[in-house]
Each structure stands twice: as structure tokens, then as C-alpha cells.
Amino acid sequence: MAMPISVQKLLKERKYPFLVAFCILLISVTFLLLSNSQSPISVASDLTQPNPVRPDSDPLHDSVISSNNGSAAANSSNHSDDTGSASEFDSGRSDDGNFAVEDDDQVVGVQWELCKGSASVDYIPCLENWNAIKNLPSRRHMEHRERHCPDPPPRCLVPLPEGYQVPVPWPKSRDMVWYNNVPHPKLVEYKKDQHWVEKSGDYFIFPGGGTQFKNGVDHYIESIQETLPVIEWGKKIRVILDVGCGVASFGGALLEKSVLAMSFAPKDEHEAQIQFALERGIPATLSVIGTQKLAFADNSYDLIHCARCRVHWDADGGKPLMELNRILRPGGYFIWSATPVYRDNERDQNVWKSMLAVTESICWSVLAKTFSTSSQVGLVIYQKPVTSSCYENRKDTSPPMCEQGRRFNSSWYSPLDSCLVPLPNNSQKWPSYWPERLSDVPPSLSSEPDAEETFKADTRHWSALISEVYLEGLAINWASVRNVMDMNAHYGGFASALIKLPLWVMNIVPIHEPDTLSVIFDRGLIGLYHDWCESLNTYPRTYDLLHSSFLFGKLIKRCDVIETAAEMDRVLRPGGYLLVQDSMEMINKLIPILKSLDWSVNVHQEQFLVGKKGFWRPG
């Protein structure tokens, strides 16, 4: 048997030439290894990326154990699209250093099953936990529409509706969507006289009608501008909240005026209205004003709108209205279009008197109150104060002021306030007009000495990374992308850099990360708080692209990333993309899980993972 060479023996036998050669070889190998370890990308080096977290434990070790032998071919004839073939993701290593993960029938992953139940195609885990809902002591305040997440989170995959197709592309989707993608016809019959949505052959079409839009949504929007010219759609008013949005025709029409509306409504209060909105490519989320705060930061929205939204604003001492006051920007506007504004019957007038008492107690002023004889619809426009002086000078101090020192992310699973949130010191400063506010220093930015430069560096970083890498070298067909979610948004730099593309971004601020949601809204963007250890408040198949930058390293310390992967599969449309920037250690953990979902997977420059969801479902 050959024995290993001993350096001491070589010295003793004076075999110096051999020793010199050996040293040169060792130095050469070391140099080669060091040169290959350098980062393959240096875009925007002025910004230091967060260091990938190296977890002490690996929750995947015990979870990713069984092999997936059930991969099936994607449904073919009805599911063709022009978003790029799977060969883009199966081509092996290329000259630019990118490589695709080879197909392997023995992929290490989980054995997936379909979610069960007649309504499983629209399964929303945290809103359909029926065991928790049936045990609620009360439903008086819409508790059954709030979040009740199952523990542990589900690992099943949501089936596709029969006949599901690649969604109609934007902007055509604003006016029509495939019937089979959202096969819920009840709203057509229920609102047939109001022209919310109509069925035409294989499509649903959206004429722009609504309960309060008797002459069409465009006429309604113009009438608001005429009533109060200071509104200045798309300049002063950029981010709005549309409460009880119907099928989001109000928000959809405002997109043409550079207004970004977050439409929201509870699940199935009117059948699938939020699902319709997202299928159309209009920003929307499922939520309800019940007993808990909305998942938004204080002082966020420029304007809040309610057209017959069926919320009792004066209930419980005005708690629902105080929640709007919390999230409305100082000097912001509330537009209420409802029968108590203009009808004279006793019931409506009692509601109006109650509403008047609450709005006066929180120092809202009435700027306009109108009634249209042609549409027989009226509205009132309120304005929130810009300083706390009115609060301090009230004769009646009910509701009281909230205590100081409220924590960040305070709206996640928190009860509604019965107090007034003090206005910030800079409350008189409205953000710059759009589009300058996108890049100007946000009013809510931290006052720390280096905060402004960090913000500007973040903006430069994302601008360079997206233009030089994301849009050019990652084999993503951006023309097919409309609904985007940034799972770890930070300052919203990712969304800001994509602003010229015909898409919108839901910016998620994870509740265990620094609270930057106010900054995102100051920039004229929209977003939510969320915990990725739980399911999101959205219907299945509602996003075209999910983006994550250094999220998973911390996440796997708190929960199982397999369940997060199941949630990403639920939310993403077939043909949609997952784009992850992370360490190769984390990417290597994600690859087998995504392949077990029968996703195509590609890794670029040893830090970017691109997954593409197909039409495969288990069984």
C-alpha cells in the first residue's frame, strides 16, 4: 500500500527539488481557490447587503425527507403561454456563469397532496379555519372574518379550477377576465342592475358600474375633483384606501390618473370581489374592520374612500372611524358616499347625527357635502387635522389621547384603539407631489444621522440591480408580470426601481424586521405588515411574481420553510415566478423543495434563484 509522503522524510533525505515543486503546486491551488471564491456580481457596491444569517439549527433537516416520484407533465393544450419555455430553466451552466438545476426524478422533497374540500380551489388558510371560527364566543363585530390561522400551517396544494387558463394580460384584464379563472357568477345576478360585473361568453366583463356609480365610475371620480379641486388626483393624492371596494372599479379607474389604490373587503361578503380585483390586475387585499387593527402603519393614506361600504363607522363609540383616523395621513381626506349623507328618512338621519358627533369629537372638518340630481347620489368629504391642537382644546376629552411610546408594527393582531393617536411633530409636512415623492427623502424616515444616506444608497442599489441584472439576465418575461409582491420590502427600493413598468408591487414589511412601512407609503407606494410563518390574506393564484431579498435566513429560525413554500405556491399563478436573492446555503435548501413542487428552477451568479411555477398538481 502506498504511504503518504512525509515532509520530514523529504528534508532528511535532502530531496529539495521535489519539495520546491510541491510548495509551488500548493500555492497555485490555494490561489485558484481564492480567485473562484470572489463574488460574481458587484452591482451598486456603495450599499452593503445584509449578511446572510447562518442558523444554528436546520429545521429543514427533519422535514425534507421523502422523495417525490409523482411529478406529472403540465396540462398542455389549454395552458400554453408566451412567457418562455421550460428549456430556459433546464439548459445547464452557461457562459455567463448561470446554471440550471438538472431534472431528477428522485428529487429530495416532500410528498405533496391536494387540499381537500369542495371550496379548496379558493382556500385561504387563515380565513377558513372553521374549527376556530365555530368556537368564537361572538360574531357581532365581524370576528369570523378576521384572521384565525391553523397551527400547524397547512402543507397541501390548492387545486386549479377546471378550465383554468393563463390570465388575460394587462391592460385588457382591467375590463375582462376568463370566467373559468374566477367561476363565481352570483355577483352578476346580485348586482345586475348596478353593472359591477357581467358575463359575456367565456369572460367576465367590468362595465365600471357600482352602487354609487350611477353614471359610471369615471363620472364619479371627475365629480369628486370638481367638488374639491385640492384633491389633485395623481399629484397630491397618490395612495388611497378603498373600503368595501366591490370589484375595485374605483381603484382600477384611478390608475390612469397615477393614483395607487389599495382596495379591500372581507372574504365572501360579496362573493369573490377581491378575487375579481386581483384577477383584473388591480391592487387588493382581504381584510375587515372588526375588532382588530388593519395591517397598515399610522398616518399612511392620503385619502380613504367608502361608497356604501357597509361599515357602521359610529359603532362602539366610533372605534371603526378612529381606526381610519389612525391610518389617514394628517391633512388627509375621507370620502363617504352613503345614504345617511343625503336621505331624509329617520334611520339614515339618525346615523348621520351619530356620525356627525364622532367626526367632531376627533376633530375632522367637513370640506364639502354634495348631492347629484342626475345620479341621486350624494357624498361628504372630511379632512383630518394637521396638528394636535384641536385635540388639546376640546371641551370634551372623549375619546382620550393614546399613551405615548406605542411600539412599531403595533397594528399586527392588536385590538382597535378607543383613543386618538397623537400626530407626529412633522405632521404639517405633506410628502412631495407625485412623482417626486418616490425619490425625495420621506417625512417619516428615521432621524438617525446616517438614515438619509442609507435611504439614498438603497435607492441607488435597487435601481442598478434591477436595470443591470433583474431585467436583463434572469430569463423572466416581465411582459407577463402584473401583480408583484416584495416579501421583504425594507424601504420599497425594489418597487421604486420598477415604477416605469406596467405592474404594481405589494410591499410586505415582515413584523420581525425594522418597521419601514410608513416610509413606503411616504414614497407613494403601498404595502402591509405580515408574518411569513402564517398564510397571507389573499386568494390563490393572485400574483405573477414573488420577490425575496435575504428573507429566509432569519425566517427558518422561527418556522418551517416548507410551509412557506406551500404558501408561495398557493399565492403564485401558474406560469408565475419566484425571484430570491440569498446565500447559496439558503438557495440550496430551497431548490429541492421547489423541485418537489415541480417548479422549474434556475440559479444565476450564485446568489439569485428563479423558480417558475407550472400547471402541475399532485395526482
Side-chain angles (χ1 to χ4, degrees), residues 5 113 156 197 216 229 243 260 284 322 330 367 378 393 404 414 419 434 450 476 511 516 545 560 574 600 613:
I5 297 173
E113 296 181 352
C156 61
V197 55
V243 183
L260 193 58
M322 281 185 273
L367 299 185
N393 295 328
Q404 298 286 350
S414 296
C419 56
W434 182 262
D450 60 346
I476 293 174
I511 60 169
T516 54
L545 187 143
D560 196 327
S600 300
K613 177 181 173 180

Side-chain angles (χ1 to χ4, degrees), residues 26-138:
L26 183 62
I27 292 170
S28 300
V29 171
T30 302
F31 179 80
L32 181 62
L33 290 173
L34 288 173
S35 64
N36 284 341
S37 68
Q38 299 303 308
S39 173
I41 185 170
S42 59
V43 172
S45 58
D46 59 336
L47 177 67
T48 301
Q49 278 290 347
N51 292 323
V53 175
R54 306 293 181 183
D56 297 327
S57 60
D58 184 2
L60 294 177
H61 178 74
D62 296 326
S63 300
V64 186
I65 54 175
S66 61
S67 63
N68 173 25
N69 299 319
S71 295
N75 299 341
S76 56
S77 58
N78 291 333
H79 300 148
S80 62
D81 63 46
D82 59 355
T83 60
S85 65
S87 62
E88 291 176 334
F89 294 82
D90 298 323
S91 57
R93 185 175 291 277
S94 62
D95 294 337
D96 62 1
N98 301 335
F99 65 92
V101 179
E102 297 294 334
D103 284 334
D104 184 353
D105 290 338
Q106 300 299 322
V107 176
V108 176
V110 293
Q111 191 69 41
W112 298 102
E113 296 181 352
L114 288 176
C115 300
K116 303 296 192 296
S118 59
S120 59
V121 294
D122 293 331
Y123 181 44
I124 307 168
C126 290
L127 300 182
E128 297 182 23
N129 184 1
W130 304 119
N131 288 332
I133 291 172
K134 71 181 180 182
N135 291 322
L136 290 172
S138 171

Side-chain angles (χ1 to χ4, degrees), residues 55 74 77 94 136 152 155 161 172 219 253 271 318 387 434 459 474 485 540 557 580 613:
S77 58
S94 62
L136 290 172
R155 293 192 177 191
K172 189 177 179 181
H219 179 271
E271 187 185 44
T387 70
W434 182 262
T459 300
L474 299 188
M485 179 175 292
K557 288 188 172 183
V580 175
K613 177 181 173 180

Side-chain angles (χ1 to χ4, degrees), residues 147-158:
R147 292 175 60 82
H148 304 283
C149 296
D151 186 18
R155 293 192 177 191
C156 61
L157 302 185
V158 174

Side-chain angles (χ1 to χ4, degrees), residues 74 79 81 83-86 89 121 156-161 164 166 539-546 565-579 594-595 597-602 609-618:
H79 300 148
D81 63 46
T83 60
S85 65
F89 294 82
V121 294
C156 61
L157 302 185
V158 174
L160 298 179
Y164 181 87
V166 172
Y539 281 91
R541 305 170 301 278
T542 46
Y543 284 86
D544 301 302
L545 187 143
L546 307 179
E567 175 64 5
M568 292 190 297
D569 182 272
R570 187 186 74 86
V571 168
L572 200 60
R573 288 168 167 172
Y577 300 94
L578 170 68
L579 171 53
L594 299 180
K595 286 183 67 66
L597 292 164
D598 209 52
W599 287 21
S600 300
V601 181
N602 199 354
L609 180 150
V610 179
K612 185 177 182 182
K613 177 181 173 180
F615 282 80
W616 173 82
R617 297 285 85 181

Side-chain angles (χ1 to χ4, degrees), residues 392-406:
E392 298 162 357
N393 295 328
R394 292 175 302 161
K395 294 181 180 179
D396 183 355
T397 57
S398 178
M401 301 300 295
C402 298
E403 294 181 5
Q404 298 286 350
R406 302 164 73 249

Side-chain angles (χ1 to χ4, degrees), residues 228-540:
L228 194 67
V230 73
I231 289 290
E232 292 185 284
W233 297 121
K235 293 181 181 179
K236 181 178 182 180
I237 301 301
R238 163 63 182 175
V239 284
I240 74 171
L241 182 68
D242 188 17
V243 183
C245 60
V247 292
S249 292
F250 182 69
L254 281 170
L255 287 169
E256 293 185 351
K257 297 183 179 295
S258 297
V259 174
L260 193 58
M262 174 84 83
S263 300
F264 91 86
K267 179 186 180 295
D268 288 339
E269 192 65 20
H270 285 146
E271 187 185 44
Q273 52 189 336
I274 294 300
Q275 194 175 19
F276 276 123
L278 289 164
E279 186 71 15
R280 297 175 70 182
I282 300 171
T285 187
L286 285 158
S287 194
V288 64
I289 301 178
T291 67
Q292 297 177 351
K293 296 179 183 179
L294 299 171
F296 308 122
D298 298 351
N299 307 311
S300 293
Y301 286 98
D302 304 336
L303 183 148
I304 300 176
H305 173 256
C306 159
R308 295 282 287 276
C309 57
R310 300 175 66 190
V311 177
H312 300 295
W313 297 114
D314 58 325
D316 299 318
K319 280 187 179 182
L321 202 65
M322 281 185 273
E323 175 63 359
L324 290 198
N325 184 73
R326 180 185 72 83
I327 63 176
L328 187 62
R329 185 177 300 283
Y333 307 92
F334 175 53
I335 299 177
W336 188 37
S337 178
T339 55
V341 177
Y342 55 89
R343 286 185 181 171
D344 292 330
N345 63 69
E346 182 179 0
R347 177 183 175 277
D348 282 321
Q349 284 305 297
N350 286 336
V351 172
W352 172 254
K353 291 176 183 177
S354 179
M355 185 72 164
L356 186 64
V358 176
T359 54
E360 288 181 349
S361 73
I362 63 176
C363 294
W364 283 12
S365 56
V366 175
L367 299 185
K369 185 180 179 185
T370 67
F371 177 76
S372 169
T373 54
S374 62
S375 64
Q376 295 294 297
V377 166
L379 57 83
V380 60
I381 303 177
Y382 297 97
Q383 186 175 29
K384 178 179 175 177
V386 295
T387 70
S388 295
S389 60
C390 175
Y391 299 161
E392 298 162 357
N393 295 328
R394 292 175 302 161
K395 294 181 180 179
D396 183 355
T397 57
S398 178
M401 301 300 295
C402 298
E403 294 181 5
Q404 298 286 350
R406 302 164 73 249
R407 66 180 180 84
F408 287 142
N409 295 335
S410 63
S411 66
W412 186 251
Y413 287 135
S414 296
L416 290 178
D417 285 329
S418 56
C419 56
L420 294 176
V421 178
L423 299 181
N425 294 330
N426 63 349
S427 61
Q428 291 178 299
K429 184 179 180 182
W430 192 274
S432 305
Y433 278 14
W434 182 262
E436 287 76 19
R437 71 188 279 182
L438 184 66
S439 54
D440 285 354
V441 177
S444 63
L445 190 66
S446 168
S447 59
E448 294 296 321
D450 60 346
E452 183 173 334
E453 179 52 39
T454 301
F455 169 78
K456 291 179 179 179
D458 181 80
T459 300
R460 291 193 299 267
H461 165 77
W462 283 108
S463 178
L465 183 61
I466 286 177
S467 64
E468 297 178 28
V469 179
Y470 280 19
L471 297 181
E472 298 297 332
L474 299 188
I476 293 174
N477 179 13
W478 289 92
S480 68
V481 173
R482 172 62 186 171
N483 300 350
V484 179
M485 179 175 292
D486 192 357
M487 299 173 68
N488 188 19
H490 196 43
Y491 288 136
F494 169 80
S496 173
L498 292 171
I499 199 66
K500 292 183 179 180
L501 296 185
L503 54 78
W504 63 274
V505 180
M506 182 73 81
N507 294 280
I508 302 297
V509 174
I511 60 169
H512 290 84
E513 295 293 328
D515 187 355
T516 54
L517 193 54
S518 292
V519 170
I520 288 169
F521 276 90
D522 280 351
R523 302 187 75 176
L525 306 171
I526 57 173
L528 298 164
Y529 295 123
H530 185 58
D531 182 353
W532 284 113
C533 291
E534 299 179 356
S535 176
L536 193 72
N537 274 18
T538 192
Y539 281 91

